Amino acid sequence: MGRLGVRLAMAAVGLTLLAGYLAAAYLGYLGLYWLWTNRPDLSTLVAIVVGVGIVSAYLSYRLGTSQLLAALETNRLPRSRAPGLHRRVDELAARMDVDRPDLFLTRAHAPNAVAIGGAERGALVLDRSLFRLLQPAELEAIIAHELAHLERNDGLLLAVVQGLSRTVVGLVTVALVPAILALSGLARGSAWLRGRPFDRSGPFARLRRLVLSAPMLLVVATTLLVRARSRRREFAADDRAASVTGNPEALARALKKIERAQEPAWPLAPLSSHRESESRIERWLSTHPSTDERIERLAEQAESREQQRERRREGNEGPTVIPIE
């Protein structure tokens, strides 16, 4: 086959691809048009979208609890093996608005504690190394921090936010399907017509990448929002733990010890949520704020508590009375 024959064959392939993609895009457009013309009123539509997002998030949250416990390879910690620890968890839960969680042990790659679930039927997973690393008051502070997450239902709220964001991203992606198919056909068809079937630098290909970036930008935006809220809830859990235990210094010491134990021993270690970083992008994507910042806030709380105690002691002493003869 001569060069002209090859070009004609490539042109035929390009036209076939273009026709196929445009037909699929048109069918997608007809489907979306039918859905739009038969849509319920705006309030009902919003209620349906929000309801579907919340239900799917709740189901994934409930199923994810058991899946996470299985993934962590946990073992239930009976009261007979650690009566003192169980008794202290009972006391902390009684002082907080949370049901007493089930206790589990795991053997992770680094010392950590994880709260799973919510204020009702929650679970607390402790890495075995915490018992060697932390003093009793420090371990108590870490447990109070995790109970604060359960008390605030942070896991459920996070699942709902993620579920709603996934629903919105999914709807945007579906709405863009006809445009994506049409641009894909134009990009691939024009590349074959030009005799360069693997060329992805044409204007239609660039426009297609631009359209595809819209859902990705939504994913990035929702991820940043979720991570920002996650960092704020860590501060709130620190404050609650310091308030319940009355010992912010113990929590600060525990955080520092855990951070030191989690420092990667090799340069290609994965990004840790607790690792200090000078990269702004890594800080934005981190689920936890800087440990130094958390420790600084706890130190300020400890200083404030000490000043309040000093003022109370001075007030209890009363004025000095000099007897008059």
Side-chain angles (χ1 to χ4, degrees):
M1 182 183 296
R3 185 171 182 177
L4 178 60
V6 172
R7 291 298 302 271
L8 290 174
M10 296 179 73
V13 172
L15 291 174
T16 302
L17 287 173
L18 178 60
Y21 274 99
L22 291 180
Y26 183 67
L27 291 176
Y29 166 77
L30 290 179
L32 290 175
Y33 180 77
W34 182 87
L35 291 174
W36 181 255
T37 55
N38 293 277
R39 72 188 186 280
D41 58 90
L42 182 60
S43 60
T44 303
L45 182 62
V46 172
I48 291 174
V49 172
V50 173
V52 170
I54 292 177
V55 170
S56 64
Y58 182 78
L59 291 176
S60 66
Y61 163 75
R62 284 301 180 193
L63 296 175
T65 297
S66 57
Q67 292 174 352
L68 183 56
L69 287 174
L72 292 174
E73 298 181 356
T74 59
N75 295 311
R76 188 180 293 273
L77 179 62
R79 185 176 291 270
S80 58
R81 285 188 55 192
L85 177 62
H86 276 268
R87 186 164 53 251
R88 193 53 185 149
V89 172
D90 292 340
E91 295 171 356
L92 289 172
R95 297 173 60 184
M96 304 172 73
D97 188 17
V98 59
D99 291 344
R100 186 196 182 283
D102 296 326
L103 294 183
F104 294 88
L105 292 180
T106 188
R107 194 180 299 278
H109 298 292
N112 203 358
V114 180
I116 302 175
E120 300 177 356
R121 294 181 298 175
L124 180 59
V125 180
L126 301 174
D127 183 68
R128 296 176 185 271
S129 62
L130 290 175
F131 298 95
R132 300 189 305 270
L133 182 68
L134 304 180
Q135 297 296 320
E138 297 165 354
L139 180 59
E140 176 186 344
I142 290 295
I143 292 174
H145 173 93
E146 297 303 326
L147 290 180
H149 285 307
L150 297 179
E151 183 181 43
R152 292 163 50 87
N153 286 301
D154 284 334
L156 177 58
L157 293 175
L158 180 62
V160 169
V161 171
Q162 290 178 332
L164 291 175
S165 65
R166 286 195 299 267
T167 302
V168 171
V169 171
L171 290 174
V172 172
T173 303
V174 170
L176 291 176
V177 164
I180 293 173
L181 288 173
L183 290 173
S184 297
L186 290 169
R188 298 192 64 182
S190 62
W192 279 88
L193 287 172
R194 295 196 312 270
R196 302 172 63 184
F198 302 107
D199 182 22
R200 297 294 182 267
S201 61
F204 295 116
R206 291 195 296 270
L207 186 57
R208 176 181 177 273
R209 288 194 293 269
L210 182 62
V211 173
L212 282 173
S213 66
M216 294 303 301
L217 289 176
L218 280 176
V219 171
V220 172
T222 54
T223 299
L224 292 176
L225 289 174
V226 169
R227 296 298 174 89
R229 187 194 178 279
S230 179
R231 292 190 294 272
R232 289 196 299 271
R233 70 177 184 157
E234 291 301 321
F235 285 136
D238 286 346
D239 296 341
R240 181 60 169 149
S243 174
V244 171
T245 62
N247 193 354
E249 302 99 322
L251 180 56
R253 292 195 304 269
L255 291 175
K256 194 62 179 178
K257 289 181 179 180
I258 291 174
E259 182 195 38
R260 289 174 178 172
Q262 288 182 340
E263 288 179 354
W266 51 290
L268 298 181
L271 174 64
S272 168
S273 59
H274 299 279
R275 192 182 69 183
E276 300 297 328
S277 174
E278 297 298 327
S279 170
R280 180 174 299 179
I281 295 178
E282 287 189 7
R283 291 198 299 270
W284 285 347
L285 294 176
S286 175
T287 58
H288 287 61
S290 164
T291 302
D292 288 341
E293 187 176 359
R294 295 172 68 184
I295 291 175
E296 183 178 351
R297 292 179 76 256
L298 291 168
E300 292 175 355
Q301 293 181 35
E303 183 178 357
S304 176
R305 287 174 178 273
E306 183 60 31
Q307 291 175 354
Q308 292 175 5
R309 284 194 291 265
E310 288 290 339
R311 285 194 294 267
R312 284 196 296 267
R313 283 196 294 266
E314 292 174 358
N316 291 333
E317 291 174 358
T320 302
V321 178
I322 303 176
I324 300 177
E325 298 181 355

